[in-house]
Amino acid sequence: MNKKRLLFASSEVYPFVKTGGLADVSHALPRALNNSYEVTVVLPLYSLIDRSRFAIVLLDTFEVTMGGVSYTIELHGALFEGVEYRFVYEPLLCDREYLYGPPESGYEDNALRFGLFSYAITQMVRTEQIPLVHLNDWQCALVALLVKEDPEIVSKIVYTIHNLAYQGVFDPSVLGQIGIHERYFTMEALEFYHQVNFMKAGIAFADSVTTVSPTYAKEIMSPEFGCGLEGFLHVHRRKLHGILNGIDSEHFSPVADKALVECYDSAKGKKASKSDLIKRLGLKGVTKPLFVFIGRFTHQKGMDILIETLPKIAELECNIALLGEGEEGYHDSLNTIAKQYGNVSLTFGYDESFSHRMYAAADFLLMPSLFEPCGLNQMIAYAYGAVPVVNKVGGLADTVKKFESYDPKSTTGYGIVFTSATSRSLLLAVKKSCELYGDKKYFEEIVNHNMKCDYSWVESAKSYDSIYTRLIK
Ligand code: ADP
């Protein structure tokens, strides 16, 4: 069979670079599509990427002109786990300490950096005549405009919104620098409250727009979740689809995870991981329920509620371990709490292997997110037998059912679900979790049920496939 070429563009891809779920998706979805399409994944070759570890080699150089300035782009390549990768290198884009800026902030010249990335991608699409292009988030959204306005290119574009809270909004003075004509500075295109909005280019010019869960697809057309784009998304609603993310079931598998002290395939097998983590973190009481939080310390992830509630949770018979990084104010508040309570452990930073050990050790995963486009943590938690405790929004609403309605015949996972993002609701949910944990047999049954659920990419990849097929027909 002659497979169609598909270019999948993303600003981060695991295992090369990762700051969050986008990297996981950009690793796993192309792998899942690789049987049906000839997939090439393109990302920036940040200086943080270990070129020798992944045998990344220089393939080509070409010139790109953006805003009247000429840039020399190096195109590098590697084959990893059967998927072709292309890396765009240019010092302005790549030679930085962070991908986008220090945690929860952005470099001032990000419009230029990712504008340049978008021009390089467009050049690839043009020269290689790639029929299908899948763009992700604001960092490559401009490609949709550049491709659609270029009469030489006939490619179809799918644009995926992973998080509407990050739209790539800049001062209008960048328009000239990124070589975008002022005629696009309109409500129908890039203008957004007198600023330039990259994400709007993706939404306006793509042939199909997707987001990462069916509930989030509905939510973002409301003022509460739309981040100012609700009206614009409503205008484009006919091409908007919600497709649930999956997780890479090989990478997130306690049966064969080298990061773990002991692999396991059922609730009982978690003991070694829990004892190890409790000891390592200086906590006490392996028989007490262990709650973990893994993620960015941001408003989105419910940090304000969590910080408000943490002292009350710590008064209960349980242990709490947090791993993450984010805004400084949250770090300070968390430090104060951790100093006061011996059963609260805090680890700052980003550590993939350690996060796996935490999922393996945990009885419960806390996710009091105020909004959650999809969320991968709850699905990873299922795989490792940690029961998610979630606020019912976005993808959490689509993936976590109330344990009170537990049905062993169901194929979806169960957790503790609350429906208002308040400290009171979170505390009640944690108390409920402790009660559930007390009913050992029932708790273990739910853990074992969740571990067997399929949250792989198989079904979701089919949904993307049908969108691509419709577009290229
Ligand atoms: P986000 O909104 O941050 O993209 P997701 O739930 O979609 O959230 O994905 C988060 C991914 O990043 C998961 O794989 C999670 O385990 C991982 N992760 C988040 N914070 C950390 C951390 N501090 N260390 C290791 N992994 C982390």
Side-chain angles (χ1 to χ4, degrees):
M1 191 183 69
N2 200 2
K3 290 196 274 185
K4 286 258 186 253
R5 277 201 76 189
L6 165 68
L7 186 68
F8 189 94
S10 175
S11 59
E12 55 181 275
V13 184
Y14 180 84
F16 307 105
V17 268
K18 169 171 165 177
T19 70
L22 172 63
D24 288 325
V25 173
S26 305
H27 166 239
L29 177 58
R31 276 178 50 154
L33 292 164
N34 210 25
N35 283 337
S36 320
Y37 295 86
E38 193 188 326
V39 186
T40 306
V41 180
V42 60
L43 69 153
L45 185 52
Y46 303 103
S47 46
L48 297 162
I49 295 179
D50 187 340
R51 295 186 188 199
S52 58
R53 178 181 160 206
F54 297 107
I56 298 170
V57 292
L58 180 64
L59 301 176
D60 194 12
T61 58
F62 57 82
E63 296 292 311
V64 150
T65 305
M66 178 175 81
V69 180
S70 183
Y71 298 86
T72 304
I73 303 289
E74 288 182 11
L75 192 65
H76 296 248
L79 181 70
F80 182 74
E81 295 175 349
V83 176
E84 279 291 342
Y85 289 88
R86 293 289 176 270
F87 300 85
V88 170
Y89 178 76
E90 206 286 334
L92 174 79
L93 170 64
C94 301
D95 294 349
R96 301 286 160 122
E97 190 181 347
Y98 301 95
L99 271 60
Y100 317 118
E104 298 309 313
S105 61
Y107 290 123
E108 269 182 18
D109 57 355
N110 272 350
L112 246 75
R113 295 178 64 221
F114 291 99
L116 191 54
F117 182 45
S118 300
Y119 273 81
I121 297 167
T122 308
Q123 178 87 338
M124 284 176 69
V125 175
R126 188 186 299 113
T127 50
E128 298 178 39
Q129 295 186 12
I130 304 172
L132 268 171
V133 184
H134 190 149
L135 308 171
N136 294 280
D137 271 352
W138 72 264
Q139 290 89 345
C140 27
L142 224 48
V143 177
L145 188 161
L146 298 172
V147 163
K148 286 297 160 190
E149 295 299 292
D150 186 332
E152 281 175 36
I153 312 181
V154 291
S155 313
K156 296 293 181 192
I157 305 274
V158 176
Y159 177 64
T160 299
I161 299 167
H162 294 262
N163 192 341
L164 205 64
Y166 303 92
Q167 299 176 7
V169 176
F170 303 99
D171 191 84
S173 60
V174 302
L175 274 180
Q177 296 169 311
I178 58 171
I180 299 293
H181 196 277
E182 286 208 347
R183 70 172 176 277
Y184 294 109
F185 194 56
T186 61
M187 255 169 69
E188 292 73 28
L190 301 190
E191 193 270 338
F192 181 71
Y193 297 100
H194 312 295
Q195 303 276 88
V196 171
N197 184 319
F198 275 37
M199 187 170 262
K200 282 188 76 185
I203 299 167
F205 293 94
D207 299 290
S208 183
V209 178
T210 70
T211 188
V212 290
S213 70
T215 296
Y216 193 58
K218 285 188 210 125
E219 286 174 346
I220 57 178
M221 283 187 278
S222 72
E224 194 187 346
F225 296 99
C227 302
L229 284 183
E230 58 277 7
F232 194 64
L233 285 160
H234 195 256
V235 169
H236 291 282
R237 67 190 177 283
R238 280 191 190 82
K239 62 176 180 183
L240 177 65
H241 310 272
I243 301 174
L244 200 63
N245 281 337
I247 55 168
D248 185 324
S249 36
E250 272 175 44
H251 179 60
F252 295 110
S253 165
V255 180
D257 187 335
K258 292 194 182 74
L260 306 188
V261 286
E262 194 176 293
C263 291
Y264 60 92
D265 62 1
S266 71
K268 288 213 171 10
K270 284 168 65 77
K271 255 190 202 145
S273 292
K274 186 171 175 184
S275 310
D276 176 72
L277 193 85
I278 294 268
K279 204 165 130 205
R280 193 188 287 254
L281 297 179
L283 296 166
K284 286 188 190 76
V286 273
T287 53
K288 291 183 202 166
L290 172 63
F291 290 85
V292 304
F293 175 96
I294 299 164
R296 294 180 289 116
F297 294 158
T298 60
H299 185 63
Q300 176 199 341
K301 299 290 175 185
M303 258 304 134
D304 297 279
I305 305 167
L306 189 59
I307 287 169
E308 189 186 337
T309 323
L310 214 45
K312 293 180 199 121
I313 300 177
E315 299 286 351
L316 305 172
E317 272 295 294
C318 68
N319 282 306
I320 309 125
L322 298 95
L323 166 68
E325 58 189 1
E327 291 155 34
E328 223 170 273
Y330 292 136
H331 284 221
D332 296 342
S333 310
L334 289 170
N335 262 327
T336 309
I337 297 169
K339 273 192 202 127
Q340 209 179 334
Y341 295 93
N343 57 343
V344 177
S345 148
L346 195 53
T347 309
F348 290 122
Y350 195 94
D351 186 335
E352 185 76 26
S353 300
F354 186 57
S355 75
H356 288 217
R357 288 200 286 278
M358 281 184 69
Y359 285 114
D363 298 301
F364 296 96
L365 174 87
L366 296 173
M367 279 189 92
S369 307
L370 305 192
F371 65 96
E372 195 57 80
C374 176
L376 300 176
N377 298 36
Q378 77 280 15
M379 296 189 260
I380 303 170
Y382 284 148
Y384 285 83
V387 175
V389 182
V390 307
N391 183 28
K392 192 180 175 185
V393 284
L396 299 175
D398 293 328
T399 53
V400 187
K401 275 203 210 164
K402 285 162 79 161
F403 78 91
E404 292 92 333
S405 62
Y406 175 62
D407 172 2
K409 290 192 285 301
S410 151
T411 51
T412 51
Y414 289 87
I416 289 84
V417 180
F418 55 102
T419 50
S420 71
T422 60
S423 171
R424 191 167 169 271
S425 304
L426 174 60
L427 185 62
L428 278 176
V430 170
K431 285 183 177 166
K432 238 188 218 183
S433 310
C434 293
E435 276 168 33
L436 173 65
Y437 181 80
D439 188 345
K440 281 277 166 288
K441 220 171 134 228
Y442 186 36
F443 178 68
E444 264 190 29
E445 185 174 339
I446 289 178
V447 169
N448 285 329
H449 171 90
N450 289 349
M451 286 181 74
K452 280 191 229 106
C453 290
D454 179 10
Y455 281 97
S456 72
W457 271 99
V458 178
E459 284 311 310
S460 303
K462 281 184 199 156
S463 304
Y464 281 107
D465 189 5
S466 64
I467 288 181
Y468 302 150
T469 309
R470 234 178 297 144
L471 291 182
I472 51 180
K473 237 181 194 163

